[in-house]
Amino acid sequence: MSLTAPATHAIDRATCEALDAADPLAGFRERFDLPEGVVYLDGNSLGALPRATAGHVQRVIAEEWGTGLIRSWNDAGWFTKPQALGDRIAPLIGAAAGEVVLGDSTSASLFQVAVAAARLRPERRVIVSERGNFPTDLYVLEAVQELAGGAAPLERRLIDDDGPGLDEVLGDDVAVVVLTHVNYRTGRMYDLADVTRRVHEAGAIMVWDLCHSVGAVPVDLNAAGADFAFGCTYKYLNGGPGSPSFIWVAERHQSAARPAITGWHGHADPFSFDVGYAPAPGVTRFRVGTPQLLSVAALEASLDLWEDVDLAQLREKSLRLTELFISLVDARLAAWGVEVVTPRQSARRGSQVSIRTDRADGYAVVQALIERGVIGDYRAPDLMRFGFTPLYVTHADVWDAVAVLEDVLATEVWREPRFARRGAVT
Amino acid sequence: MSLTAPATHAIDRATCEALDAADPLAGFRERFDLPEGVVYLDGNSLGALPRATAGHVQRVIAEEWGTGLIRSWNDAGWFTKPQALGDRIAPLIGAAAGEVVLGDSTSASLFQVAVAAARLRPERRVIVSERGNFPTDLYVLEAVQELAGGAAPLERRLIDDDGPGLDEVLGDDVAVVVLTHVNYRTGRMYDLADVTRRVHEAGAIMVWDLCHSVGAVPVDLNAAGADFAFGCTYKYLNGGPGSPSFIWVAERHQSAARPAITGWHGHADPFSFDVGYAPAPGVTRFRVGTPQLLSVAALEASLDLWEDVDLAQLREKSLRLTELFISLVDARLAAWGVEVVTPRQSARRGSQVSIRTDRADGYAVVQALIERGVIGDYRAPDLMRFGFTPLYVTHADVWDAVAVLEDVLATEVWREPRFARRGAVT
């Protein structure tokens, strides 16, 4: 995708407003409830509230739960929601109907699929991941190593920006590779098809973490021939705090795959109440227990909105926003030593930009920004992280964010004690 | 507990109304939104909607998510909700503060604790459960057997009403015993302290499933000296469809216990983003990933209500309701061959009563009851199951339910084709 962003020196707020006026996705902003005076650049951590969500959840509470009571398991389709909503997530990740199902927390779903993946290569003893992966992926893989290893734990091999690369760690002892498509810290994006191909050439199984991809960048799992994937729905999909994860299993693996946790919602006939577990056909076997249906309901409302999104337009706007931010940072913040950590090559960039500087405490800077209504976040040891969610972030928002950031740096307001480190924001 | 239920021949609807008028818990019914014309006897499957829930969830959506956005992880206490709500469940199960935490689905939490339990007895190779346990417990234990077994799967040994009893299967090879305190089908309740003692005498670890106990019957885990427990919050606790499970770990095990899934919310310092997993102190290490906070919010509203409940009064009313139901079934339904499956001895009975008859199709009978506004459920092959939730079921409800049941059996309306088996209700 080639974009001709305006030359930096020509950008002013009016330019940004003109870009907003021409934005084919501009109408989506009205479908979110955003607080007045806030520039929200943390939708990569928790997506904003779709306007339709509250009413939908309220209806589920009052009508489906309050009035329907137990009957809603059948009458309101509660029992099959994880498959039904999975089918609605599928087009966002290049999956087919019947390949996606909702899970518990993202960490639990990683466990569920990584064990299944390792079981497809029982003779191999190595799991590959990345030192810079989101930590829970590595933590959960420790559990997978120990529990799926049989007589001895599986070995872990980590690729590293400063160490071995993927091709150096791949070998005929590698069972599974688990990588996050878009890195949570840097926003760097892997070439999903290319990495999958190299992993397959080594005879290993490819598991993709799509937490920072779904609803943010184009993903085509089936075109890439990937094996398993999982992701969260509370970032770019705007499903609400802690909304359920999803699991994707390529159709060709579904009949052989054995999930880690064999719960009754993944049983072939859950209401037969048989003593023995028999896996359901297809991806349904990856379900575990009763879904948390109020969180599912909020996700459902947000997926209604996604029905109307043109994914090519989404990516085009995402790149326009991130390039605009990068241009403005380069032009206006270099004086404070601010550098862009996120790849400048658009094909390698997700929908976020991370920056750093040696001349200011990034934590305090982010707190000062938040006080002024520009919400990004901080990731230790030194990254200021800004997510650009094309459905509700405007070009003018980007302009305003950089202007506030420049002021925070120029005035050194971030040095004030109230911005000093105390807690942390997820 | 000794109850003097009125002699059967003396009971009429006026007697029931008098009992309701004298009921110290009667005021709680007004704190639930129950549909008009419904006698709800399925709160043992899905609890009714507390009147305060909708407003609380709405506030969490609008204010904490919509306005607070990412800041609510700290400002609204989202990150510590699983511990905070665990501390509020603790008094309902004889646990101390710091011993209970919310989990994912109940099945996932069983996996989380059963693996930890097995790890405390690595030299032992047997897991004991019960053939009549809720099936997902057995299904999940299959996963535990396979994954926690190391070189070879752990062995399973099942006690059975028609087969070996607990003392016959216990031995020095038993690592863990997983039993459900109140049986989902029959309502039979174990003596929690006595069973725990026998399991400990055999040197094994005791894991209790409290799904049908919490909010229904007295539970005192610490008095019994039990080891681990888990349960669901969407039955008697009224937390809403699929509301999160809870996990209890006895304080004495917390520093040694290693949960199955090592996710970042169970990490000692989740925001350090360390590469290696280090367990949080206490029961917090049993957390996995991001909690589904809208479902958590609904649970929170229901726990407000539990603050006001006298648990001794709750048990007393529960026994009064179930004894009344049993008396009326005996007196009025024996003519249709209806027998009570649930123990008549109050100390062995939870807060439900299951009945059966050879002379009618229980499935069709339950459907006919539901059509007439009496909601119970059916459990294959032949049980009609009725839950008595003392906070909103009245003595008059019990009278009306038996009257409708008598009519359904007397008129044989259940034979009408619309009541024939098609789906199933969870």
Side-chain angles (χ1 to χ4, degrees):
Chain A
M1 182 173 302
S2 138
L3 284 179
T4 49
T8 299
H9 65 272
I11 302 178
D12 57 14
R13 200 174 192 283
T15 314
C16 293
E17 288 167 6
L19 288 167
D20 289 331
D23 173 14
L25 298 178
F28 282 98
R29 188 180 169 94
E30 289 304 308
R31 295 172 68 176
F32 289 87
D33 275 324
L34 283 160
E36 279 299 310
V38 162
V39 173
Y40 193 57
L41 303 182
D42 214 0
N44 53 322
S45 190
L46 174 67
L49 170 61
R51 195 150 285 177
T53 299
H56 182 66
V57 174
Q58 213 52 17
R59 198 187 61 72
V60 169
I61 291 176
E63 294 175 22
E64 297 186 5
W65 175 13
T67 302
L69 289 161
I70 195 68
R71 298 169 288 204
S72 290
W73 279 104
N74 292 321
D75 297 350
W78 283 356
F79 203 80
T80 51
K81 285 285 177 202
Q83 292 98 308
L85 269 57
D87 283 347
R88 297 178 67 188
I89 291 170
L92 304 175
I93 55 174
E99 287 187 325
V100 182
V101 74
L102 299 186
D104 285 298
S105 64
T106 312
S107 297
S109 288
L110 164 54
F111 184 79
Q112 188 74 329
V113 299
V115 169
R119 283 171 164 167
L120 293 176
R121 293 290 181 273
E123 72 291 352
R124 293 172 171 228
R125 305 290 306 169
V126 176
I127 293 183
V128 166
S129 191
E130 182 172 23
R131 186 168 300 276
N133 206 339
F134 188 70
T136 205
D137 290 33
L138 300 178
Y139 304 159
V140 170
L141 288 178
E142 288 187 33
V144 174
Q145 288 168 253
E146 177 150 356
L147 290 169
L154 298 173
E155 183 194 333
R156 175 166 87 176
R157 215 172 275 166
L158 297 181
I159 64 174
D160 193 338
D161 288 347
D162 305 316
L166 183 62
D167 295 324
E168 291 167 74
V169 300
L170 286 173
D172 60 12
D173 54 357
V174 174
V176 180
V177 178
V178 180
L179 292 173
T180 299
H181 181 221
V182 175
N183 187 276
Y184 81 106
R185 297 181 76 249
T186 64
R188 182 218 57 215
M189 181 165 69
Y190 278 115
D191 182 329
L192 195 138
D194 179 62
V195 170
T196 300
R197 182 186 53 71
R198 287 150 64 197
V199 168
H200 283 175
E201 280 173 8
I205 299 288
M206 185 71 225
V207 178
W208 284 108
D209 177 339
L210 300 178
C211 283
H212 290 267
S213 307
V214 60
V217 298
V219 179
D220 197 337
L221 290 164
N222 276 323
D227 301 294
F228 295 88
F230 64 97
C232 90
T233 62
Y234 52 77
K235 298 177 187 291
Y236 295 92
L237 292 191
N238 312 303
S243 59
S245 66
F246 65 86
I247 285 172
W248 171 77
V249 180
E251 197 279 337
R252 68 183 180 284
H253 289 310
Q254 289 176 3
S255 60
R258 290 191 300 133
I261 307 179
T262 47
W264 70 305
H265 282 238
H267 192 280
D269 187 5
F271 291 97
S272 68
F273 295 111
D274 289 338
V275 170
Y277 175 76
V283 75
T284 300
R285 67 181 58 179
F286 281 80
R287 290 182 60 177
V288 179
T290 305
Q292 298 193 30
L293 283 156
L294 301 189
S295 286
V296 168
L299 173 59
E300 186 165 41
S302 71
L303 289 175
D304 287 345
L305 191 151
W306 281 96
E307 299 279 337
D308 303 331
V309 177
D310 178 316
L311 296 176
Q313 287 179 348
L314 186 86
R315 175 62 168 166
E316 192 173 346
K317 181 174 177 189
S318 163
L319 288 176
R320 199 176 287 281
L321 292 171
T322 52
E323 286 179 6
L324 174 63
F325 184 78
I326 291 170
S327 300
L328 292 170
V329 167
D330 286 345
R332 298 175 58 174
L333 306 182
W336 291 279
V338 175
E339 57 180 318
V340 172
V341 173
T342 302
R344 290 163 183 274
Q345 187 189 342
S346 62
R348 299 201 59 220
R349 187 169 67 239
S351 201
Q352 72 174 70
V353 179
S354 298
I355 60 178
R356 59 174 300 285
T357 173
D358 288 333
R359 298 190 218 161
D361 175 357
Y363 177 87
V365 170
V366 167
Q367 303 316 308
L369 285 175
I370 291 172
E371 190 183 80
R372 292 168 181 221
V374 176
I375 302 180
D377 63 27
Y378 169 78
R379 284 295 176 258
D382 63 357
L383 291 188
M384 294 173 272
R385 193 175 74 148
F386 302 94
F388 299 90
T389 49
L391 297 187
Y392 53 79
V393 172
T394 66
H395 300 80
D397 283 340
V398 176
W399 176 270
D400 293 342
V402 176
V404 173
L405 188 48
E406 184 177 20
D407 188 65
V408 164
L409 292 167
T411 61
E412 299 198 355
V413 65
W414 60 268
R415 291 190 189 275
E416 293 182 12
R418 70 182 181 283
F419 301 126
R421 234 167 275 237
R422 40 179 182 88
V425 178
T426 185
Chain B
M1 184 172 304
S2 137
L3 282 178
T4 48
T8 300
H9 65 272
I11 304 177
D12 56 15
R13 199 173 194 284
T15 312
C16 293
E17 288 166 8
L19 289 167
D20 289 332
D23 173 13
L25 299 177
F28 282 99
R29 187 180 169 97
E30 289 306 307
R31 295 171 69 176
F32 288 87
D33 275 325
L34 284 160
E36 278 298 309
V38 162
V39 173
Y40 192 57
L41 303 181
D42 213 1
N44 53 322
S45 188
L46 173 66
L49 170 62
R51 195 152 284 174
T53 300
H56 182 66
V57 174
Q58 212 54 15
R59 197 188 61 73
V60 170
I61 291 176
E63 294 174 23
E64 296 186 6
W65 175 13
T67 302
L69 289 161
I70 194 70
R71 298 169 288 202
S72 290
W73 278 104
N74 292 321
D75 297 350
W78 283 355
F79 203 80
T80 51
K81 285 285 177 201
Q83 292 98 307
L85 270 56
D87 283 347
R88 297 179 67 189
I89 291 170
L92 303 175
I93 56 174
E99 288 188 324
V100 182
V101 73
L102 300 186
D104 285 298
S105 62
T106 312
S107 297
S109 288
L110 164 55
F111 183 80
Q112 187 74 328
V113 298
V115 169
R119 283 171 165 167
L120 293 177
R121 293 290 181 274
E123 73 290 354
R124 294 173 171 226
R125 305 291 304 167
V126 175
I127 293 183
V128 167
S129 192
E130 181 172 26
R131 184 168 302 278
N133 206 339
F134 189 69
T136 205
D137 290 34
L138 300 177
Y139 304 159
V140 170
L141 288 178
E142 288 187 32
V144 174
Q145 290 168 253
E146 178 150 354
L147 289 169
L154 298 173
E155 182 194 333
R156 174 165 88 177
R157 213 173 277 166
L158 297 181
I159 63 174
D160 193 338
D161 288 345
D162 306 317
L166 182 62
D167 294 323
E168 293 167 73
V169 299
L170 285 174
D172 61 11
D173 54 356
V174 174
V176 181
V177 177
V178 180
L179 292 174
T180 300
H181 181 219
V182 175
N183 186 275
Y184 81 107
R185 296 181 76 250
T186 64
R188 182 218 56 216
M189 180 165 70
Y190 278 115
D191 182 330
L192 194 136
D194 178 63
V195 170
T196 300
R197 183 185 53 72
R198 287 149 65 196
V199 167
H200 284 175
E201 280 173 8
I205 299 287
M206 186 70 226
V207 178
W208 284 108
D209 176 340
L210 300 178
C211 284
H212 290 266
S213 309
V214 60
V217 298
V219 179
D220 197 337
L221 290 165
N222 276 323
D227 302 292
F228 296 88
F230 64 97
C232 90
T233 63
Y234 51 77
K235 299 179 186 289
Y236 294 93
L237 292 191
N238 312 303
S243 59
S245 66
F246 65 87
I247 284 172
W248 171 78
V249 180
E251 197 281 335
R252 68 183 180 283
H253 289 310
Q254 289 176 4
S255 59
R258 291 191 300 134
I261 307 179
T262 47
W264 71 304
H265 283 237
H267 193 279
D269 187 5
F271 292 97
S272 68
F273 296 113
D274 289 337
V275 169
Y277 174 76
V283 74
T284 300
R285 67 181 58 179
F286 281 80
R287 290 182 60 178
V288 177
T290 306
Q292 299 192 30
L293 283 155
L294 300 189
S295 286
V296 169
L299 173 59
E300 186 165 41
S302 72
L303 290 175
D304 287 344
L305 190 150
W306 280 96
E307 300 279 337
D308 303 331
V309 177
D310 178 317
L311 295 177
Q313 288 179 346
L314 186 85
R315 175 62 169 166
E316 191 174 345
K317 181 173 176 188
S318 164
L319 288 177
R320 201 177 286 281
L321 292 171
T322 51
E323 286 179 8
L324 174 63
F325 185 77
I326 290 170
S327 300
L328 292 170
V329 167
D330 285 344
R332 297 175 57 173
L333 305 183
W336 291 280
V338 175
E339 55 181 318
V340 172
V341 173
T342 301
R344 288 164 185 273
Q345 187 189 344
S346 62
R348 300 201 59 220
R349 187 169 68 239
S351 201
Q352 70 173 71
V353 179
S354 298
I355 59 177
R356 59 175 300 285
T357 173
D358 287 334
R359 301 191 214 157
D361 175 356
Y363 178 87
V365 170
V366 167
Q367 303 316 308
L369 285 174
I370 292 172
E371 190 183 79
R372 291 167 182 221
V374 176
I375 302 181
D377 63 25
Y378 169 80
R379 284 296 176 259
D382 62 358
L383 291 188
M384 294 173 273
R385 195 175 71 150
F386 302 94
F388 299 89
T389 51
L391 297 187
Y392 53 79
V393 172
T394 65
H395 300 81
D397 282 340
V398 175
W399 175 271
D400 293 342
V402 176
V404 173
L405 188 48
E406 183 177 20
D407 188 65
V408 164
L409 292 167
T411 60
E412 299 198 354
V413 64
W414 59 267
R415 291 190 190 274
E416 292 181 13
R418 71 183 180 283
F419 301 127
R421 235 166 273 238
R422 43 181 182 86
V425 178
T426 184

